[in-house]
Amino acid sequence: MKTIIATAALLAAAGPACAEKIALEPLIDARIRYEHADQDGLPDRADALTLRLRGGLQASSGAWSALVEGQGALAAIDDYYDGLRGAATRPLVADPQSIGLYRAQLRYKTRALALTAGRQRIAIDDERFVGAVGFRDNGQTFDAVRAEWTGLPKLKVDVSYAWSARTIWGIDGRGARQQAVSGDNVFATIGYATPIGTLGGFAYLVDQDEAAAQGFALSSQTYGARLSGSRPLARAVKLSYVLSYARQSDWHRNPNAYHADYHLADATLDIAAFRINLGYERLGASHGAALTSFQTPLATGFKFQGWADKFLITPPNGVRDLYVGAGHGWTKAGAFDLISIQAAWHRFDSDRLHLRYGDELDLLVTAKLGRTTLGARYADYRAKRFATDTRKFWLQADWTF
């Protein structure tokens, strides 16, 4: 109902645009992926061959645009546990079969202001706190109103109010893995371009107002600052860097009382087609009780702390991730427009009690040919004192119109 009201309000204001020419643009996005997972402690392996199709239409007229996009995902091979169906004797592959509305939004955009209302993707900065979870078939969207303002030079203000997070679990989501989690969420960022990079502050008020979603224990308020920038060091040599700090505490109906800190320091050196990356990320712990460590339930978690997905929920004692990576890319390589290879190694430790969690090696090869992107990915988590040894392998093809 809130989505309908917000969209109707913007439509009412759009009257003058109706006289202008309307441009129509189809939206088509297709994916096929094979995922294999082998996890110690489980008697069976997981094999999943999934297909995902999104289709819709965007209509634009002057500063106004509206789009509707549907989504469907099915499993051609379903020898896996999808979190809702299948045997939990197999590793989790979080791609349940589903069909439904992915996006339905109205947008007003000028040079200084963009207003978006309805079901939409929201991906802020590197998606560490709020993201679209693009790797999973069903993705994550929000029923929200968002305002982005750039009315002053070098300054950007971005504020969203979301009353529902539409999860990756699809139409059959239930229990702790619901189709949608309601609540009064506020995401606010401000950034100013300085000579050393974009310096900004942020506030994320996450309201998981569903008892089934961890008993309200994922509701939190997070305030912090972030600096991101890059500098040329020589011809074909560039240094990029990100520094971030945040403080999180309980909010709204959260039954726990806690405070936890977040730190990130990341540096990437590009030398022609080579890339070297070094970073350290800390999600702090409070007093060692479950869900009193720094949590990011609305993040694109797959992008962080290894692809084996061992730390999507931060352990009670927190997690520290020391990582190093390298990569190389080739343009116009044979029939391909782009080929790249990447490798990363992670060392995971607890934030308190000095526990060695484990190590992970991640490998990725991607190739782009026209509108098609091909990828082969591998993750190998070696447990020390957290979780169990896990190996995952993916083959994927994406096509976008």
Side-chain angles (χ1 to χ4, degrees), residues 9 37 70 85 187 199 205 213 219 242 263 269 320 327 394:
R85 313 179 193 85
F187 318 134
L199 177 63
L205 308 182
S219 295
V242 180
H263 295 87
L269 186 65
R320 299 185 180 191
W394 299 265

Side-chain angles (χ1 to χ4, degrees), residues 119-197:
R119 186 162 301 173
Q120 58 189 281
R121 280 194 298 253
I122 299 179
I124 301 176
D125 292 331
D126 58 2
E127 303 186 57
R128 190 56 178 110
F129 297 97
V130 179
V133 195
F135 184 76
R136 303 274 42 127
D137 283 346
N138 290 314
Q140 176 175 260
T141 56
F142 297 88
D143 293 338
V145 176
R146 183 180 188 183
E148 301 166 84
W149 183 74
T150 54
L152 292 178
K154 302 182 179 180
L155 182 68
K156 180 179 180 179
V157 178
D158 185 345
V159 180
S160 301
Y161 166 68
W163 54 88
S164 179
R166 315 299 297 191
T167 74
I168 65 171
W169 303 111
I171 59 173
D172 294 323
R174 59 186 179 271
R177 294 168 172 154
Q178 296 187 22
Q179 175 185 359
V181 179
S182 61
D184 297 310
N185 303 276
V186 177
F187 318 134
T189 67
I190 183 170
Y192 184 78
T194 75
I196 61 172

Side-chain angles (χ1 to χ4, degrees), residues 77-286:
I77 298 176
D78 61 355
D79 297 328
Y80 67 99
Y81 175 52
D82 66 9
L84 304 173
R85 313 179 193 85
T89 57
R90 299 182 186 274
L92 173 66
V93 177
D95 288 325
Q97 299 185 90
S98 182
I99 188 169
L101 179 67
Y102 180 60
R103 289 189 293 168
Q105 68 180 52
L106 185 66
R107 183 174 175 85
Y108 173 79
K109 188 177 188 306
T110 65
R111 180 174 298 180
L113 178 66
L115 298 173
T116 310
R119 186 162 301 173
Q120 58 189 281
R121 280 194 298 253
I122 299 179
I124 301 176
D125 292 331
D126 58 2
E127 303 186 57
R128 190 56 178 110
F129 297 97
V130 179
V133 195
F135 184 76
R136 303 274 42 127
D137 283 346
N138 290 314
Q140 176 175 260
T141 56
F142 297 88
D143 293 338
V145 176
R146 183 180 188 183
E148 301 166 84
W149 183 74
T150 54
L152 292 178
K154 302 182 179 180
L155 182 68
K156 180 179 180 179
V157 178
D158 185 345
V159 180
S160 301
Y161 166 68
W163 54 88
S164 179
R166 315 299 297 191
T167 74
I168 65 171
W169 303 111
I171 59 173
D172 294 323
R174 59 186 179 271
R177 294 168 172 154
Q178 296 187 22
Q179 175 185 359
V181 179
S182 61
D184 297 310
N185 303 276
V186 177
F187 318 134
T189 67
I190 183 170
Y192 184 78
T194 75
I196 61 172
T198 300
L199 177 63
F202 53 81
Y204 298 108
L205 308 182
V206 175
D207 180 16
Q208 301 273 280
D209 200 12
E210 305 276 355
Q214 302 289 350
F216 312 112
L218 292 176
S219 295
S220 64
Q221 51 185 329
T222 303
Y223 305 94
R226 173 185 171 91
L227 172 68
S228 61
S230 63
R231 297 182 67 85
L233 301 182
R235 185 177 180 181
V237 179
K238 182 180 71 173
L239 175 66
S240 303
Y241 43 85
V242 180
L243 296 171
S244 185
Y245 168 78
R247 178 78 160 169
Q248 184 179 96
S249 62
D250 53 284
W251 189 60
H252 201 58
R253 300 172 67 180
N254 193 325
N256 299 316
Y258 75 98
H259 292 85
D261 294 330
Y262 171 85
H263 295 87
L264 172 68
D266 182 280
T268 301
L269 186 65
D270 289 289
I271 307 173
F274 290 91
R275 170 169 289 189
I276 302 171
N277 175 240
L278 176 65
Y280 174 79
E281 185 182 44
R282 170 181 173 250
L283 279 73
S286 179

Side-chain angles (χ1 to χ4, degrees), residues 276-330:
I276 302 171
N277 175 240
L278 176 65
Y280 174 79
E281 185 182 44
R282 170 181 173 250
L283 279 73
S286 179
H287 49 273
L291 300 178
T292 63
S293 50
F294 199 103
Q295 303 291 333
T296 60
L298 301 180
T300 299
F302 185 81
K303 294 179 62 177
F304 304 91
Q305 299 178 341
W307 299 330
D309 281 347
K310 293 301 179 182
F311 301 97
L312 295 181
I313 296 179
T314 308
N317 291 311
V319 59
R320 299 185 180 191
D321 177 15
L322 176 66
Y323 56 91
V324 60
H328 188 278
W330 296 266

